[in-house]
Amino acid sequence: GFTPGAIAYKRGMSIPNDLIASLGSLGSGVPPSLNGCLPPVRDFMIDPEGRTLLICHELCSQHMTCPPITRDGLADDEPPPENVRRLSVLLNEEVGILRSGEFDACRWEGECRRASMADILKVHEYNYIEKISQICAQLPDHPKAIANLDADTAVSRWSFEAAMRASGSVCEAV
């Protein structure tokens, strides 16, 4: 019978003060054997010094993995887990999670370089990269033009460029 807070303590994580009420406080389900070795409660503030950089190029939102999502009551309308709405939930200017006050100290960058081919070749074979590039380049620039690379990997016209920009963002951030 551990509370989520007790499990986090058990794994060595501090629970932010503002979450203790919902996750459970020290001593709520924590066995006596763990009481002396638990980290202290701490105030939680994301990036207090404003050094976290959030990078997302506009092309990333053009990586379509399914046709436009509609909810007209049909059973097969459920989108795949990997879909462009995932980015929208995070990045939407008005209601995106990463736009909430909790992330105010973070810096935003909407431009980023493409990853170099040398960077990509460190983690992927050239033939694989070329295959994906060719498949994407042959697709028309239309929301319903989707190609499946395998059972759970879909790409669209801009998927390769989105991946190159996303990879470039990681390289730039590091």
Side-chain angles (χ1 to χ4, degrees):
F2 288 109
T3 64
I7 292 170
Y9 274 119
K10 185 178 174 185
R11 293 187 176 146
M13 293 182 268
S14 297
I15 303 303
N17 287 335
D18 59 337
L19 295 179
I20 286 179
S22 60
L23 295 180
S25 61
L26 183 60
S28 59
V30 178
S33 62
L34 291 179
N35 274 335
C37 61
L38 298 176
V41 175
R42 64 177 173 79
D43 284 323
F44 184 65
M45 180 183 282
I46 293 177
D47 191 28
E49 297 171 14
R51 295 193 299 188
T52 297
L53 177 62
L54 301 172
I55 306 171
C56 186
H57 194 276
E58 64 182 331
L59 280 175
C60 292
S61 65
Q62 298 302 312
H63 166 58
M64 306 291 179
T65 58
C66 63
I69 300 168
T70 60
R71 302 282 188 197
D72 58 11
L74 300 177
D76 62 347
D77 278 353
E78 195 59 33
E82 161 77 28
N83 67 71
V84 76
R85 279 201 177 163
R86 291 175 75 181
L87 270 183
S88 179
V89 166
L90 294 171
L91 304 173
N92 180 281
E93 291 284 341
E94 296 174 13
V95 295
I97 292 168
L98 294 177
R99 305 290 184 170
S100 67
E102 202 172 343
F103 296 93
D104 280 347
C106 299
R107 295 182 302 130
W108 281 90
E109 183 62 52
E111 287 296 320
C112 63
R113 68 177 179 88
R114 279 177 107 238
S116 69
M117 191 55 73
D119 291 332
I120 302 299
L121 287 171
K122 291 176 184 175
V123 294
H124 292 293
E125 296 287 328
Y126 177 79
N127 290 339
Y128 176 75
I129 298 166
E130 187 61 27
K131 174 186 168 187
I132 305 301
S133 174
Q134 291 299 318
I135 290 171
C136 292
Q138 291 172 4
L139 290 168
D141 188 9
H142 187 275
K144 292 186 177 184
I146 309 291
N148 290 303
L149 302 179
D150 57 38
D152 63 350
T153 309
V155 295
S156 61
R157 172 75 171 103
W158 295 104
S159 294
F160 184 77
E161 273 305 313
M164 294 299 282
R165 295 295 178 153
S167 300
S169 295
V170 171
C171 294
E172 196 170 309
V174 173

